[in-house]
Amino acid sequence: GDQLAWLEADLAEANKHRDVRPWIIVGGHRPVYSVIEYDGTDVTGTSAAVQAAFEGLFHEYGVDVFVCGHEHSYERQFPVYANTNVATSYKDAPYTVYLVQGAGGNSEGHSNYDNAASPPWSAFWDSSNYGIGMFSFEDAYTLKWQFLKGVDGSVIDEVVISKTPPST
């Protein structure tokens, strides 16, 4: 529909200007990948619908990072595409890095991870702490993401995502 047409046009335009803005970061509400919507083989539930709608565009236009909430928890995935293509390095990642940062706190408490699976694309998850996520750029081709504990600001998780600068 209109949302997908708008997103594709926006991603295509952003991709044309990688020389000026090398990163494409997309934000949304629901996750494409979450360990609590995984049945041991495939992504399930609303994540499957979001994945079917958006992941192909993210891959086609080289989206570097997708950040969402919805789950009242924190998750970081390895670069992944189509459930099975997983890269364990965040340097020159061939696929999108997915972050679930819904751990800001709310009256419903944390999402239930009691039956969470361990898919190959899951790098880290935390369903017991509230906190904030923070991006910082070390330079134009090095992006650091941190999940900071809300109580004291200590680092619970961090990852450095980097790209090789284009040769001139």
Side-chain angles (χ1 to χ4, degrees):
D2 292 345
Q3 182 182 24
L4 289 174
W6 168 83
L7 179 62
E8 183 165 20
D10 198 57
L11 291 175
E13 186 64 25
N15 208 31
K16 290 179 193 174
H17 303 287
R18 291 285 186 137
D19 58 328
V20 181
R21 292 179 298 277
W23 297 92
I24 297 178
I25 301 171
V26 175
H29 178 77
R30 291 188 179 265
V32 174
Y33 289 92
S34 173
V35 299
I36 60 175
E37 289 195 331
Y38 178 75
D39 67 6
T41 305
D42 291 312
V43 171
T44 62
T46 55
S47 289
V50 173
Q51 185 183 70
F54 298 105
E55 188 178 32
L57 287 176
F58 294 168
H59 186 65
E60 181 178 349
Y61 293 102
V63 169
D64 299 293
V65 181
F66 177 74
V67 184
C68 69
H70 187 70
E71 301 302 345
H72 301 161
S73 60
Y74 169 75
E75 298 183 39
R76 173 175 48 86
Q77 318 310 355
F78 288 115
V80 58
Y81 176 64
N83 297 320
T84 56
N85 299 305
V86 179
T88 56
S89 172
Y90 293 90
K91 180 171 178 49
D92 295 321
Y95 312 119
T96 303
V97 174
Y98 292 90
L99 302 167
V100 177
Q101 178 21 3
N106 98 29
S107 62
E108 297 171 1
H110 289 96
S111 294
N112 184 343
Y113 277 63
D114 290 346
N115 297 315
S118 295
W121 38 259
S122 175
F124 181 87
W125 60 268
D126 181 312
S127 65
S128 61
N129 289 290
Y130 293 113
I132 62 168
M134 184 172 69
F135 283 115
S136 58
F137 287 91
E138 296 181 4
D139 58 50
Y141 297 97
T142 308
L143 172 64
K144 181 165 51 172
W145 165 264
Q146 295 180 307
F147 176 54
L148 306 173
K149 194 172 192 174
V151 172
D152 60 14
S154 61
V155 176
I156 295 173
D157 183 51
E158 73 179 9
V159 64
V160 174
I161 306 166
S162 64
K163 299 177 177 207
T164 301
S167 47
T168 54

